């Protein structure tokens, strides 16, 4: 059946999946509010998580954008270099870095193109707590970005100027999944261990003494035991609190011991390493890039770098549509309807010499494969 009726008008398609659990009555799609406080606190509490996210942002690398027909290429290059971002910095690269950092942390990231008449004025990284998302009642596959200042959320007026991305969304969900998912429990145990270490060192490092006075069998000693104990306590306090080193002299049966000196502090190296292994595995960062000196081999490090390269390539596929949308809008405002191509910088995590050897071996193998066998 044709999608055009007899008058030549196009019919509106309102198809939606049959298996969705969302109420499919019009205007009843619920909005999803994002709560970023948990993951923000997690990054502040565990420095290695914060470091890993910044490492991923830096390792993703830079890019350049090429127009389809070469027209307005110089203007596009200047736009990418000098566009204002958040009113505090400039450059499309800076916008993408903040956008990607937010995407990794919360699983969902949003940005806005701010226009001034017929030109792009600046770019704005939207704080994730200021928005909510919901499906359009007219089109199931259209996601509306809403203001987070009202119940249910009010869709912003110009949806075409707003961008958002979801990282590894679950089936049927419009929200992404943070790479920190699953780490709050592991991190809570790690923080308990660190907190216990701090308390133990506060007790063991700042030594506490137990001064014990044992009265003799003489009746006179027993009668004045309280007064002598008070005098010993006063003299001991003066000896410990003074700015200079002082000697403590006592007469009688006086014993001085360090509190807690007989107790052994638990070895935390093995449990801390086990927890850090879980965190590093979730973040997909090789340990040596985070300053962790675990036993490894050169071949293992090379394989870890290869795995990280694959992860970075996947992240680039999420960021490419955002770059294309911004640059395409700039070109349309300049009267250029051609598309753009985003060219990412090469990821150089491997040794250049080893890469050159690999290319040489491939070329030699192709040459040998083309030779005739006698």
């Amino acid at each position: 059946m044709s999608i055009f009726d007899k008058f030549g008008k196009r019919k509106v398609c309102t198809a939606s999946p049959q298996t969705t659990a969302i109420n499919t009555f019009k205007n009843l799609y619920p909005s999803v509010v994002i709560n970023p406080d948990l993951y923000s606190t997690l990054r502040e509490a565990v420095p290695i998580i914060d470091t890993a996210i910044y490492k991923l942002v830096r390792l993703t690398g830079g890019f350049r954008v090429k127009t389809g027909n070469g027209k307005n290429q110089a203007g596009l290059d200047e736009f990418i270099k000098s566009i204002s971002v958040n009113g505090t910095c400039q450059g499309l690269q800076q916008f993408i870095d903040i956008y990607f950092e937010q995407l990794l942390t919360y699983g969902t990231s949003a940005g806005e193109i701010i226009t001034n008449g017929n030109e792009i004025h600046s770019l704005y990284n939207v704080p994730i707590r200021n928005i909510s998302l919901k499906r359009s009642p007219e089109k199931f596959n259209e996601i509306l970005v809403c203001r987070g200042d009202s119940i249910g959320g009010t869709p912003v007026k110009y949806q075409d100027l707003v961008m958002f991305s979801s990282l590894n969304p679950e089936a049927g969900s419009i929200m992404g999944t943070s790479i920190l998912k699953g780490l709050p429990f592991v991190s809570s145990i790690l923080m308990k261990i660190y907190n216990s270490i701090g308390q133990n060192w506060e007790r063991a490092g700042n030594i506490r003494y137990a001064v014990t006075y044992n009265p003799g069998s003489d009746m006179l000693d027993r009668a004045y035991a309280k007064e002598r104990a008070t005098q010993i306590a006063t003299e001991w306090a003066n000896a410990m609190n003074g700015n200079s080193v002082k000697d403590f002299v006592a007469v009688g049966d006086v014993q001085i011991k360090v509190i807690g000196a007989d107790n052994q502090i638990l070895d935390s190296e093995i449990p801390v390493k086990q927890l850090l292994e879980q965190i590093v595995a979730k973040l997909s960062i090789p340990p040596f890039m985070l300053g962790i000196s675990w036993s490894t081999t050169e071949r293992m490090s090379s394989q870890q770098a290869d795995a990280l390269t694959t992860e970075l390539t996947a992240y680039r596929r999420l960021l490419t549509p955002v770059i294309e949308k911004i640059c395409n809008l700039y070109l349309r405002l300049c009267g250029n309807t051609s598309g753009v191509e985003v060219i990412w910088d090469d990821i150089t995590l491997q040794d250049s010499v080893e890469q050159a050897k690999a290319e040489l071996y491939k070329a030699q193998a192709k040459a040998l494969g083309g030779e005739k066998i006698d």
Side-chain angles (χ1 to χ4, degrees), residues 80-111:
I80 293 174
K81 179 181 178 181
S82 60
I83 182 66
S84 175
V85 178
N86 300 323
T88 58
C89 47
Q90 64 181 19
L92 183 57
Q93 181 70 61
Q94 184 70 28
F95 173 81
I96 293 298
D97 288 347
I98 301 175
Y99 189 93
F100 183 39
E101 178 191 349
Q102 189 171 246
L103 183 65
L104 292 174
T105 305
Y106 310 119
T108 304
S109 186

Side-chain angles (χ1 to χ4, degrees), residues 113-126:
I113 303 174
I114 302 176
T115 59
N116 182 14
N118 295 326
E119 63 179 8
I120 298 178
H121 177 266
S122 59
L123 301 175
Y124 176 60
N125 292 101
V126 181

